[in-house]
Amino acid sequence: MSDARYLRRRGALVELARDHRVGDPSPHVTYTDEEHGTWRRVHAALLVAHRGRVPREVLEARESAPIPSDHVPQHAEVGSRLRELTGFAFTLAGGIVPNKRFLGSMARDYFHAVQYVRHPAMPLYTPEPDVIHDVFGHGTHLASPWFADLYRMFGSAAARVDSDDALDLISRVYWFTLEYGVIAAGPRGVQAYGAALLSSYGELDRLHLARIRPWDIADMARVPYQVTGYQPFLFGARSLEHLADALHGFLDTFDEETAARLGLPPLRQRGFMGRPAAGAAAGVSAGSEPRRPPPS
C-alpha cells in the first residue's frame, strides 16, 4: 500500500485503539464521504453475492442485524442493538489482537472490531480486516442467538487455557469455521456461513472454485493456511446442526490436554500459517498472533 493519504488516515484510526480496554466505548469517528461511498458500494455488492451462496439461517440473521446500507456505522450504533438481540457488543481493535484477548473476550460478549475502511481503489477485496469485515460480517453472526452462542463457546474454551499451543488450536478451528466455514452438502451446493466469506465479494464470487475438505479437526490442525489472500481450501460441515454438534464436542471440555488427548500435533508440527511481515500494516505489533483473517 503506497497511498500516503490513506495510510495516514488508517494510522490515525488505529492509534485510537492504543491501550483500549475491553468493554470501553469505542471513540466516535467522523467518516468521510469517500468512506461512506465505499461502504455503500460494498454493502450493495454483498447483498447480490449472497444470493444462492448463503444458508437461509444466515440470510435471516443478516435481515435482523442492525447494519445500515447507506453509511459506515459507529460501533455503538450497531452494538447497542446487538446487545438487545444477543448480548454482544463491539470492543475496539487496531487490527491485530493476541489470541488470548481476542478469543477470550467472546466469553464476556465482546467482539474486537476495527474502525478503518478499506482502500477505495479495491472496495470488493481487502487482505486485512476492516470495519466492513467486522461490523457487516461478524455483526450478521452476532445478531443471531444461535451464532452468538458459538462465539461464546470459543470464548469460554480460550478463557480456560493459557498456552500458545492450546490457543493456537482453538484459533485454527475458529478460522476454519466462524471465519471461513462452509456447508458442503445439500441440493444448493456449497453454502458460505463464515464471516470472512460473508463480507468478501471476491471470496464468494470464486466459491465454486474452492477446494472443499471434509470436516476434520485433525486436518485443520495440520494444514497450512494464509491470513491474507484468497483461501486455497475450505472445510465443509454437513449442516449447521453438524457444525454446532462438532464444535460442542471439541470445545465444551477443551483444556490444556485436549491436543494430546485427541492425538493432535503440537504447535511446532502444525501447518504453517502465512501472515504479513510484522509491522507491514498499520497497527500490527511484532509477535502478536493474527486475530483472524480478512479478505473481505
Side-chain angles (χ1 to χ4, degrees), residues 31 39 72-73 75 114-117 129-136:
Y31 290 102
W39 175 279
V72 186
H75 283 180
V114 301
Q115 291 182 306
Y116 55 81
V117 183
D130 77 331
V131 68
I132 300 173
H133 168 85
D134 288 338
V135 174
F136 180 95

Side-chain angles (χ1 to χ4, degrees), residues 5-266:
R5 182 176 67 89
Y6 174 78
L7 289 175
R8 283 195 302 272
R9 169 63 167 171
R10 189 178 69 177
L13 295 181
V14 166
E15 185 62 24
L16 296 176
R18 186 178 297 277
D19 300 324
H20 186 83
R21 294 181 302 179
V22 174
D24 282 356
S26 297
H28 180 90
V29 174
T30 301
Y31 290 102
T32 66
D33 290 342
E34 183 175 58
E35 288 166 336
H36 287 306
T38 298
W39 175 279
R40 287 193 294 270
R41 180 175 177 185
V42 177
H43 190 283
L46 288 173
L47 296 191
V48 174
H50 284 185
R51 296 172 187 166
R53 299 184 177 104
V54 173
R56 170 183 54 79
E57 295 88 343
V58 175
L59 293 177
E60 291 173 352
R62 190 194 73 195
E63 291 307 305
S64 66
I67 301 169
S69 61
D70 62 342
H71 65 276
V72 186
Q74 304 295 322
H75 283 180
E77 178 184 348
V78 176
S80 61
R81 176 60 178 147
L82 292 181
R83 275 283 192 220
E84 297 173 3
L85 292 171
T86 64
F88 263 89
F90 294 118
T91 194
L92 186 59
I96 288 182
V97 180
N99 278 332
K100 180 69 175 181
R101 172 171 169 147
F102 173 69
L103 295 167
S105 295
M106 296 178 197
R108 299 167 52 197
D109 292 353
Y110 287 110
F111 186 85
H112 281 80
V114 301
Q115 291 182 306
Y116 55 81
V117 183
R118 64 193 60 181
H119 195 281
M122 298 176 62
L124 301 183
Y125 172 81
T126 176
E128 300 173 89
D130 77 331
V131 68
I132 300 173
H133 168 85
D134 288 338
V135 174
F136 180 95
H138 289 284
T140 293
H141 280 176
L142 297 175
S144 160
W146 189 89
F147 274 104
D149 283 346
L150 298 187
Y151 280 74
R152 289 190 187 94
M153 193 191 321
F154 275 100
S156 296
R160 291 195 298 270
V161 298
D162 293 298
S163 69
D164 290 342
D165 186 287
L167 290 167
D168 174 82
L169 188 56
I170 298 171
S171 179
R172 286 169 185 265
V173 176
Y174 170 84
W175 174 281
F176 286 119
T177 55
L178 295 186
E179 287 292 351
Y180 279 99
V182 297
I183 302 302
R188 301 182 67 189
V190 176
Q191 299 273 288
Y193 70 83
L197 298 175
L198 298 179
S199 59
S200 176
Y201 179 93
E203 291 276 11
L204 290 171
D205 192 50
R206 66 186 301 279
L207 191 60
H208 64 288
L209 300 176
R211 288 177 290 163
I212 309 299
R213 301 172 79 120
W215 170 277
D216 186 273
I217 286 177
D219 200 16
M220 293 179 189
R222 295 188 182 98
V223 298
Y225 66 95
Q226 297 291 324
V227 299
T228 61
Y230 292 121
Q231 299 303 298
F233 51 79
L234 305 170
F235 283 88
R238 296 189 298 275
S239 64
L240 288 178
E241 291 73 19
H242 172 220
L243 169 70
D245 288 346
L247 289 179
H248 274 291
F250 178 65
L251 294 171
D252 282 353
T253 58
F254 191 91
D255 58 25
E256 295 284 3
E257 304 305 318
T258 293
R261 193 163 57 244
L262 298 181
L264 302 177

